């Protein structure tokens, strides 16, 4: 039986609300001091991510320093030493084609009063989603059903400073951009949009899925219908949307390089960039369901026979 016929549900079952919660209560704890780019708290964060991949026997990406893609960023006229964290599960059939799943590892640190911005939703939620997706894929590898294409887990730094870590990656790619099939970017998926008139929490905003590849959009829709049945809302995909979210997270640096993307997002809320963005406010069953959608979409992209096509 080929992986295209394997039922991925058996691997998605490893994605649990309890594990997401445990990971996020650690990642968004005061010990990480708000994960501001280049600070001690951000160094604690990257060590935590590296240790997780080591514990799962998931290997470091090529040309990294033990999972770290190191860089010096110019932030407020200072040179700041920082790093992306990059792990890979090599494909067993088309290892030179890559699906990149990304989330930003940084947040905004502390305010002048020493209060910590924990960034549980932004983007602790996306970060722990990647970790659980990685565990699910690695489980498939251990059972001999690993993905055909390679899956790259990219935790980028400096997002809050202007998408700097993802810009660095796309300008210094560890794997050829021409062989990068898609980028699934996860930034804030643990909360609800308080302004939604429809109060059903079973939703996710998707942005960008049809902009470069209609096939990617169609796959995303079919996967959701088959496995997760979330209400997919494209409000912020509108070219006229004044929020311009398509240009405001790390996927945009991939889209600029003509790589098809999907941006998964729950919209902002009253705790956005405030010290009140804490892990107790996350909807963990919903975070699990949204994480499953991303896993199933990545599974399909990694295992279908042909890589997705760009629009003409």
């Amino acid at each position: 039986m080929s992986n295209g016929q394997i039922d991925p549900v058996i691997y998605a079952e490893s994605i649990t609300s309890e594990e997401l919660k445990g990971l996020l209560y650690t990642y968004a704890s005061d010990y990480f001091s708000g994960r501001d780019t280049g600070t001690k708290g951000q160094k604690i964060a990257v060590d935590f991510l590296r240790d997780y991949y080591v514990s799962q026997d998931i290997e470091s990406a090529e040309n990294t320093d033990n999972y770290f893609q190191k860089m010096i960023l110019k932030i407020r006229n200072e040179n700041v030493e920082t790093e992306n964290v990059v792990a890979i599960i090599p494909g067993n059939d088309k290892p030179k084609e890559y699906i990149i799943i990304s989330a930003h590892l940084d947040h905004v640190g502390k305010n002048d009063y020493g209060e910590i911005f924990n960034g549980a939703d932004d983007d602790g939620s996306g970060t722990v989603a990647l970790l659980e997706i990685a565990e699910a894929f690695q489980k498939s590898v251990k059972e001999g059903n690993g993905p055909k294409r390679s899956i790259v887990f990219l935790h980028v730094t400096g997002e809050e400073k202007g998408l700097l870590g993802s810009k660095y990656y796309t300008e210094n790619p560890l794997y050829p951009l021409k062989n990068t099939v898609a980028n699934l970017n996860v930034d804030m998926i643990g909360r609800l949009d308080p302004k939604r008139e429809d109060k059903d929490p079973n939703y996710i905003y998707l942005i960008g899925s049809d902009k470069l590849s209609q096939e990617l959009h169609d796959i995303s829709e079919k996967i959701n219908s088959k496995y997760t049945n979330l209400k997919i809302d494209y409000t912020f995909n509108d070219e006229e949307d004044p929020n311009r979210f398509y240009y405001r997270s790390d996927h945009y640096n991939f889209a600029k390089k003509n790589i098809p993307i999907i941006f998964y997002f729950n919209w902002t809320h009253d705790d956005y960039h405030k010290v009140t963005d804490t892990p107790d406010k996350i909807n963990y069953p919903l975070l699990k369901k949204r994480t499953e959608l991303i896993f199933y979409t990545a599974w399909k992209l990694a295992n279908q026979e042909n890589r997705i096509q760009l629009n003409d």
Side-chain angles (χ1 to χ4, degrees):
M1 188 184 291
S2 71
N3 349 30
Q5 296 167 299
I6 299 281
D7 186 355
V9 170
I10 57 175
Y11 303 118
E13 286 172 352
S14 71
I15 299 167
T16 69
S17 300
E18 294 73 25
E19 286 185 5
L20 287 161
K21 186 174 185 177
L23 289 165
L24 190 52
Y25 263 84
T26 301
Y27 197 72
S29 67
D30 286 356
Y31 184 61
F32 289 63
S33 300
R35 308 186 303 274
D36 195 10
T37 301
T39 64
K40 181 183 176 185
Q42 185 248 296
K43 304 300 182 185
I44 293 169
V46 297
D47 285 347
F48 174 85
L49 296 172
R50 176 182 62 193
D51 291 350
Y52 181 87
Y53 287 107
V54 170
S55 75
Q56 295 290 327
D57 296 321
I58 297 172
E59 62 190 65
S60 59
E62 287 178 14
N63 299 313
T64 59
D65 181 0
N66 194 19
Y67 298 87
F68 294 166
Q69 183 186 29
K70 295 186 174 180
M71 67 195 76
I72 297 175
L73 298 177
K74 197 86 162 176
I75 299 173
R76 297 193 197 94
N77 293 319
E78 287 186 22
N79 288 332
V80 174
E81 293 184 6
T82 184
E83 49 279 299
N84 295 330
V85 180
V86 199
I88 187 168
I89 293 178
N92 58 29
D93 185 39
K94 303 173 191 292
K96 301 292 189 191
E97 293 183 12
Y98 306 93
I99 315 295
I100 295 182
I101 312 178
S102 60
H104 69 89
L105 62 89
D106 61 307
H107 194 50
V108 296
K110 300 178 183 178
N111 64 17
D112 293 341
Y113 307 103
E115 294 175 303
I116 294 169
F117 293 77
N118 297 112
D121 194 27
D122 184 14
D123 184 29
S125 61
T127 299
V128 299
L130 259 64
L131 301 182
E132 284 286 274
I133 291 166
E135 180 190 26
F137 270 108
Q138 186 67 347
K139 189 178 174 194
S140 77
V141 170
K142 287 176 177 173
E143 294 185 9
N145 298 318
K148 289 182 179 179
R149 293 179 179 82
S150 297
I151 312 286
V152 178
F153 300 93
L154 173 63
H155 298 265
V156 293
T157 189
E159 189 271 353
E160 302 288 5
K161 303 294 191 263
L163 316 183
L164 299 181
S166 54
K167 181 173 187 282
Y168 186 87
Y169 181 90
T170 56
E171 291 177 353
N172 304 273
L174 300 175
Y175 301 102
L177 296 183
K178 70 179 186 335
N179 295 342
T180 301
V181 174
N183 168 232
L184 305 180
N185 183 48
V186 195
D187 192 354
M188 299 175 62
I189 60 163
R191 294 278 298 267
L192 299 175
D193 170 7
K195 296 185 172 68
R196 277 179 74 85
E197 291 180 12
D198 177 358
K199 295 305 179 188
D200 181 354
N202 189 52
Y203 79 92
I204 182 90
Y205 290 114
L206 258 60
I207 300 169
S209 60
D210 62 348
K211 294 205 185 300
L212 293 170
S213 171
Q214 184 64 39
E215 185 184 358
L216 176 60
H217 176 83
D218 294 344
I219 286 170
S220 168
E221 281 282 319
K222 284 177 190 164
I223 289 295
N224 180 58
S225 296
K226 184 172 182 180
Y227 294 109
T228 41
N229 284 307
L230 286 156
K231 289 182 181 175
I232 295 186
D233 191 322
Y234 296 103
T235 299
F236 302 115
N237 195 49
D238 188 332
E239 293 286 348
E240 304 301 316
D241 172 46
N243 295 287
R244 292 173 59 81
F245 287 126
Y246 179 63
Y247 306 94
R248 288 174 54 187
S249 190
D250 294 296
H251 59 275
Y252 185 59
N253 284 314
F254 289 91
K256 283 198 293 189
K257 300 289 188 180
N258 216 30
I259 294 165
I261 65 93
I262 302 177
F263 173 25
Y264 299 87
F265 184 49
N266 52 220
W267 207 68
T268 59
H269 40 71
D270 293 341
D271 301 307
Y272 174 68
H273 281 200
K274 293 198 171 81
V275 295
T276 46
D277 181 8
T278 49
D280 55 298
K281 294 179 179 172
I282 298 293
N283 183 324
Y284 289 97
L286 183 58
L287 175 57
K288 171 184 182 288
K289 199 167 187 183
R290 290 166 170 171
T291 302
E292 287 171 341
L293 171 62
I294 301 158
F295 166 72
Y296 286 125
T297 304
W299 180 276
K300 175 64 174 172
L301 295 173
N303 287 311
Q304 71 175 23
E305 194 53 41
N306 298 314
R307 68 181 278 179
I308 57 167
Q309 296 300 302
L310 288 161
N311 297 338
D312 293 333

